[in-house]
Amino acid sequence: MAPLGLKAIVAEKIMNNVIKKAREKGKWKVLVVDKLSMRMISSCCKMTDIMSEGITIVENITKRREPLPSMEAIYLITPSNESVEGLIDDFRDPRAPRYRAAHVFFTDTIPDSLFGLLTKSRASKAMKALTEIHVAFLPYESQVFSLDRVDAFQDFYSPFKADVKNNMLESCAEQIATLCATLKEYPGIRYRGEYKDCAVLAQMLQEKLDGYKADDPSMGEGPDKSRTQLLILDRGFDPVSPLLHELTLQAMAYDLLGIENDVYR
């Protein structure tokens, strides 16, 4: 039976396409993550399930870690400068690598520049696998997700960030495309025509989706399946909603209880 809800779908993808794929009977491994992938795992996977598949410890690639040269590592990381540099640094010294070998899984498509940097490094000789799993978003709830881009609003609207806006839109388009690919949806895209950046994002997203569709022609297909619609709106279309207070139990809990990162302490 197919999993129901976004969190269940992402959890199944991480377990089957990352953890179980790299598992070797009788061998324990280290799971190395970064900020986004750690939040992704925490949101939809149980640590007991991960540990039962041969993972002995979960480490953050940006923090100081003890070398474990007798163990292999599974890297589930974003294709960012910081994470790729951390991977390269783990195997920089051939006489004292941090781990015995590396199974590398990127959450998204790695840029050519970073891929070139990685292939020229000593880490490339230690890699047993390099895969892009295309899950570059945070599954908050069964029907709620986030791109986890805290600077996006400023990058999008600030006149002082005009030089980074296009890169931000490109990155957002790729993240949304991975969401559609994860859900196996090939939506029709609709956008607000009065705002030109909506059209720019729509075009970028369409190109990304076409690429995924070319790789998987069954994407968006199915018996009695109607085509989904994806709406792109800018905040100027509805400036009131962020100021409204939801009359729900969830909103009350966040107001009155000490909840941090969806955890009540």
Side-chain angles (χ1 to χ4, degrees), residues 2 58-59 90 98 139 154-156 171 176 206 214 216 224 237:
V58 179
E59 300 264 40
D90 285 349
R98 184 161 275 123
Q154 187 178 20
D155 291 347
F156 194 79
S171 180
I176 297 170
Q206 187 64 62
D216 180 12
D224 303 320
F237 177 77

Side-chain angles (χ1 to χ4, degrees), residues 79 107-112 132 134 136 147 149 165-182 185-187 189 199-217 219 227 230 232:
T107 58
D108 201 356
T109 303
I110 182 171
D112 291 341
E132 297 163 344
H134 304 298
L147 302 184
R149 302 185 64 85
K165 184 167 77 169
N166 197 65
N167 288 338
M168 183 273 295
L169 287 171
E170 186 84 31
S171 180
C172 286
E174 182 62 41
Q175 287 182 278
I176 297 170
T178 67
L179 169 69
C180 296
T182 299
E185 296 285 357
Y186 182 66
I189 301 175
V200 173
L201 179 59
Q203 180 63 37
M204 290 178 174
L205 178 55
Q206 187 64 62
E207 291 173 0
K208 306 287 185 186
L209 289 173
D210 289 345
Y212 282 111
K213 180 71 170 177
D215 292 336
D216 180 12
M219 181 175 160
R227 193 177 187 187
L230 192 152
I232 297 177

Side-chain angles (χ1 to χ4, degrees), residues 6 11 31 37 54 107 137 141 161 166 174 195-196 229 242:
L6 185 58
L31 178 60
S37 58
T107 58
F137 58 89
E141 298 177 10
K161 293 291 191 79
N166 197 65
E174 182 62 41
Y195 197 69
K196 66 176 183 178
Q229 302 296 311

Side-chain angles (χ1 to χ4, degrees), residues 39 41 53 77 93 105 116 122 142 156 159 167 171-172 200 207 219 233-234 260:
R39 293 187 65 191
I41 289 173
E53 295 296 336
I77 54 178
D93 187 349
F105 298 86
R122 293 187 181 275
S142 62
F156 194 79
N167 288 338
S171 180
C172 286
V200 173
E207 291 173 0
M219 181 175 160
L233 303 171
D234 63 283
E260 236 177 89

Side-chain angles (χ1 to χ4, degrees), residues 245 248-265:
H245 196 290
T248 63
L249 180 63
Q250 185 181 33
M252 183 180 72
Y254 271 85
D255 282 346
L256 302 178
L257 302 176
I259 298 177
E260 236 177 89
N261 293 326
D262 300 326
V263 177
Y264 172 62
R265 303 185 185 281

Side-chain angles (χ1 to χ4, degrees), residues 104-165:
V104 182
F105 298 86
F106 286 114
T107 58
D108 201 356
T109 303
I110 182 171
D112 291 341
S113 58
L114 290 179
F115 182 75
L117 192 66
L118 186 58
T119 54
K120 293 175 184 176
S121 71
R122 293 187 181 275
S124 63
K125 297 179 180 179
M127 290 191 297
K128 286 190 171 182
L130 194 156
T131 308
E132 297 163 344
I133 66 168
H134 304 298
V135 182
F137 58 89
L138 265 180
Y140 265 128
E141 298 177 10
S142 62
Q143 298 185 57
V144 179
F145 74 94
S146 168
L147 302 184
D148 198 40
R149 302 185 64 85
V150 295
D151 298 325
F153 189 87
Q154 187 178 20
D155 291 347
F156 194 79
Y157 288 104
S158 173
F160 304 106
K161 293 291 191 79
D163 57 326
V164 301
K165 184 167 77 169

